[in-house]
Amino acid sequence: MALLSNPFNRKKIFARADARHECRIEGEIILTEKMVSYEGRLINLSRGGAMFRPRLAYLMNRRGDAVQVQAAGLALAGEIVATTPLGFGVRFDQPLSDAELAHLLGHGASEAAAA
């Protein structure tokens, strides 16, 4: 008889690898295969990914599309892993360095102060 891996049907607890930081950083997302871009903003950010909210009335499901997020002078390659009412969830191909994360968050703080 095989042992059950989850005998009590408990839900798996989801834990993020990196902390998310709320932000408002103006930027652009480029669908690299189609070379189509959308302006918008990063609304939260972590070392491994971000949530990008395009300035669109309707969001199409783009899960699996390769993208480049451009914000604060950085170009970050990644993949859309989720489409939600808030925007596109992007997982970066390479985690952000501490310097890149600080640069982006600092840029977001300066944009918020200017508004």
Side-chain angles (χ1 to χ4, degrees):
M1 182 173 154
L3 293 176
L4 298 174
S5 61
N6 190 1
F8 301 109
N9 291 329
R10 292 185 179 146
K11 287 185 176 182
K12 286 186 175 183
I13 297 173
F14 178 75
R16 293 197 180 278
D18 298 298
R20 289 239 174 229
H21 304 277
E22 297 296 320
C23 60
R24 290 184 180 176
I25 305 168
E26 297 297 319
E28 182 178 29
I29 192 167
I30 301 169
L31 303 177
T32 53
E33 287 184 14
K34 298 178 181 171
M35 294 309 292
V36 175
S37 65
Y38 302 106
E39 291 183 352
R41 69 171 44 155
L42 295 173
I43 58 173
N44 69 46
L45 180 67
S46 75
R47 288 177 44 91
M51 178 64 71
F52 184 86
R53 175 68 182 148
R55 290 188 184 116
L56 297 172
Y58 177 74
L59 296 177
M60 293 179 60
N61 186 1
R62 300 280 187 189
R63 186 179 180 130
D65 285 0
V67 296
Q68 185 179 74
V69 176
Q70 296 181 343
L74 297 176
L76 309 165
E79 177 184 346
I80 295 176
V81 294
T83 301
T84 73
L86 293 176
F88 298 126
V90 177
R91 180 177 53 227
F92 299 137
D93 290 346
Q94 299 294 321
L96 297 177
S97 67
D98 291 338
E100 289 171 324
L101 183 61
H103 172 74
L104 285 165
L105 293 174
H107 190 78
S110 64
E111 282 184 1

